[in-house]
Amino acid sequence: MIVMPTTYSPMTVARAFNVVEEFALSGRVLHVIYDRQTPRAAIIEADVEMFEGVPRHRVIAALDLQYKSALGRDIVAVERCWEDTHVLQAEGVCVDPAERDKGLATRLYEALILKCGITLISDFEQYDGGKMLWQKIARESDQIAVFVLDTELGAFWPYDGTKVIYDGGCIPEERIWSISPDQKCHGVVLVAEDKQRANQLMETTAPYRV
């Protein structure tokens, strides 16, 4: 389970992270930062505060990531879709309780996908908060396309050679999420990518459906 750091030093931010987006919220300037080497990402306050006499950036949200070179048994055909992107699996996202319901997790996902050319894949284990986040992104984001991928089959829903954009309700939920102890959907993940890029692929590759 991800443990969100409360602050980062300016030195750590300068050494390990790139600032990929700046935006304003509630009278503050926030930065989306990304560490490609670890990998990890966060939203921090741009202004520095003093914590016990030491200058620090307050962390508002944090995301742990993992590089994925392969998924499941054999998805060579699927991976052709990601030749120009970095495929990362989202292992956990945390938002400061005082900052929830402000769309920060969605903003973090969008920044990584749109600014850094990343394809994000959900974890194999999904808790209620993670499910709600992915459903919210699929339902509300006009910049991200979400697909359902069975890594054991090496195919996207509906597994007939087409590819359906998940809108948060068009695919039966029991085909996406496993409820413990049932593990029949353990190999199913959600894939989030740049919607504009996905639409371009739709025009040049095998049939897609929305």
Side-chain angles (χ1 to χ4, degrees), residues 15-17 38 53 58 68 80 86 141 152 174:
R15 182 186 71 250
F17 292 92
T38 301
R58 185 185 298 274
K68 304 302 291 186
R80 285 206 304 268
H86 301 289
S141 178
E152 296 179 356
E174 65 270 16

Side-chain angles (χ1 to χ4, degrees), residues 40-86:
R40 55 183 169 166
I43 297 177
I44 62 171
E45 291 188 353
D47 289 341
V48 172
E49 296 182 47
M50 300 302 292
F51 290 83
E52 298 181 355
V54 179
R56 310 281 290 185
H57 292 278
R58 185 185 298 274
V59 178
I60 305 301
L63 174 64
D64 277 351
L65 300 160
Q66 182 179 359
Y67 280 110
K68 304 302 291 186
S69 58
L71 290 166
R73 294 184 313 220
D74 181 11
I75 59 166
V76 174
V78 171
E79 288 179 340
R80 285 206 304 268
C81 298
W82 303 326
E83 288 176 348
D84 299 325
T85 66
H86 301 289

Side-chain angles (χ1 to χ4, degrees), residues 3-176:
V3 177
M4 188 176 79
T6 55
T7 63
Y8 280 126
S9 71
M11 184 178 297
T12 296
V13 172
R15 182 186 71 250
F17 292 92
N18 290 323
V19 177
V20 299
E21 187 177 43
E22 177 181 291
F23 65 99
L25 179 69
S26 303
R28 300 164 299 170
V29 176
L30 302 180
H31 286 167
V32 178
I33 57 175
Y34 172 48
D35 172 9
R36 182 173 176 175
Q37 297 300 317
T38 301
R40 55 183 169 166
I43 297 177
I44 62 171
E45 291 188 353
D47 289 341
V48 172
E49 296 182 47
M50 300 302 292
F51 290 83
E52 298 181 355
V54 179
R56 310 281 290 185
H57 292 278
R58 185 185 298 274
V59 178
I60 305 301
L63 174 64
D64 277 351
L65 300 160
Q66 182 179 359
Y67 280 110
K68 304 302 291 186
S69 58
L71 290 166
R73 294 184 313 220
D74 181 11
I75 59 166
V76 174
V78 171
E79 288 179 340
R80 285 206 304 268
C81 298
W82 303 326
E83 288 176 348
D84 299 325
T85 66
H86 301 289
V87 180
L88 296 176
Q89 190 163 38
E91 294 196 318
V93 61
C94 283
V95 177
D96 186 326
E99 306 288 347
R100 289 175 183 168
D101 300 321
K102 297 179 180 179
L104 291 173
T106 300
R107 187 80 184 233
L108 183 53
Y109 276 47
E110 287 181 341
L112 293 175
I113 292 167
L114 301 174
K115 305 292 185 181
C116 302
I118 290 170
T119 295
L120 278 180
I121 298 174
S122 69
D123 199 351
F124 290 103
E125 299 290 343
Q126 287 294 330
Y127 298 96
D128 288 342
K131 294 177 186 178
M132 292 175 62
L133 173 60
W134 279 94
Q135 289 168 336
K136 176 181 173 64
I137 291 172
R139 185 172 59 249
E140 299 180 6
S141 178
D142 59 359
Q143 300 185 80
I144 294 177
V146 176
F147 302 96
V148 173
L149 170 67
D150 189 318
T151 61
E152 296 179 356
L153 294 176
F156 290 98
W157 174 271
Y159 317 131
D160 61 0
T162 62
K163 186 177 180 182
V164 170
I165 293 179
Y166 174 54
D167 63 5
C170 65
I171 299 173
E173 297 301 306
E174 65 270 16
R175 302 300 299 272
I176 304 174

